[in-house]
Amino acid sequence: MRLTYILLILFIPVYLLAKSYPIFEEDLFEAISRYSETKEFEEKVLKDRDEKVKTIVEMSGIKLPTATDNYTYKIVDSYTLTQDIPRVDREGNIIGVLYKKGFKFNPLKFIKIAPPSLIIFDACNMKEKKYVQNLIKTRKNFMLVSGGCQLQNIEGFREMVYLTNQEMIDKFKLKTTISIVDVNIKEAVYEIKVIATN
């Protein structure tokens, strides 16, 4: 107790006589606003933008060889659950497992309306491009997918043109272009029609 009094007697005068200074901190919003108006900021933003645009326009999907024959094949789709799907009651309580991890099913058996056709082609191959331009005049529900052609070189389509990727090639067992992927709801399969343009 005595030690506490001694400490108080020593520190109270120091506290009262010590000089204090106000803290002036710059407003962060004002600092950012001021920096955003500088030439340095403008140059940095424009450089970043140009690099991103260049990366995007130079992208190209995976190139597939051109088909030499016309043929058709079918693929039965399957998906395996990577985790349990819980059974839930009306109050939202988990009361068991509806489908166990590892359960395998065909998702095409559960759809009522077929998704759009995928038309996979090389947009830089003039024969394939012309064939697809004529083909889409008679189709309503489709998605265009190009491989091997940089986005900056894809011209002549009002529709969005997507790029092929490895997942798409593996899923539909794509070997060549032009390949048209349709869903046959009755059979619950993908039908792939391959067209040679030579």
Side-chain angles (χ1 to χ4, degrees):
M1 192 71 167
R2 212 166 166 203
L3 181 61
T4 307
Y5 288 124
I6 293 171
L7 288 174
L8 282 173
I9 292 171
L10 286 174
F11 286 109
I12 289 177
V14 171
Y15 176 75
L16 293 174
L17 298 172
K19 191 168 185 178
S20 62
Y21 299 93
I23 298 173
F24 290 105
E25 190 172 303
E26 183 178 16
D27 181 83
L28 184 60
F29 181 74
E30 288 176 14
I32 292 171
S33 294
R34 229 180 6 267
Y35 178 65
S36 70
E37 295 168 359
T38 65
K39 186 79 171 156
E40 176 190 357
F41 177 78
E42 183 182 351
E43 288 171 359
K44 185 176 178 359
V45 168
L46 292 175
K47 183 180 177 198
D48 288 350
R49 182 203 62 191
D50 293 345
E51 286 173 4
K52 286 177 183 166
V53 167
K54 185 174 186 255
T55 301
I56 291 168
V57 298
E58 288 180 354
M59 288 174 71
S60 62
I62 298 171
K63 183 164 177 58
L64 294 168
T66 303
T68 54
D69 294 312
N70 295 338
Y71 61 95
T72 304
Y73 61 98
K74 295 179 182 181
I75 296 174
V76 177
D77 192 22
S78 65
Y79 181 77
T80 305
L81 293 179
T82 57
Q83 62 188 35
D84 290 343
I85 303 295
R87 180 182 300 277
V88 181
D89 66 13
R90 290 179 185 247
E91 286 79 39
N93 301 314
I94 296 175
I95 56 171
V97 176
L98 186 61
Y99 295 105
K100 287 205 161 289
K101 177 182 176 179
F103 176 74
K104 194 173 186 176
F105 66 100
N106 181 348
L108 297 180
K109 289 183 178 180
F110 301 94
I111 62 172
K112 302 289 182 211
I113 299 171
S117 301
L118 295 177
I119 303 172
I120 297 104
F121 70 110
D122 181 350
C124 287
N125 178 320
M126 289 327 241
K127 285 183 180 178
E128 289 188 17
K129 179 179 175 179
K130 211 167 249 183
Y131 184 91
V132 170
Q133 285 172 328
N134 288 330
L135 177 68
I136 62 177
K137 289 176 185 174
T138 61
R139 286 183 170 244
K140 290 182 181 174
N141 200 11
F142 60 86
M143 287 175 63
L144 300 177
V145 184
S146 176
C149 189
Q150 290 184 343
L151 279 176
Q152 64 188 346
N153 298 328
I154 298 175
E155 297 172 344
F157 297 98
R158 287 194 337 249
E159 301 78 12
M160 182 74 167
V161 179
Y162 300 91
L163 301 176
T164 51
N165 59 30
Q166 195 59 51
E167 184 181 354
M168 184 184 299
I169 291 169
D170 294 342
K171 182 176 183 73
F172 303 120
K173 297 178 178 30
L174 299 173
K175 303 271 187 274
T176 57
T177 56
I178 299 171
S179 293
I180 302 171
V181 180
D182 287 305
V183 172
N184 180 328
I185 293 180
K186 278 187 180 178
E187 296 179 29
V189 296
Y190 290 109
E191 291 181 340
I192 293 89
K193 183 178 179 183
V194 178
I195 300 163
T197 56
N198 51 0

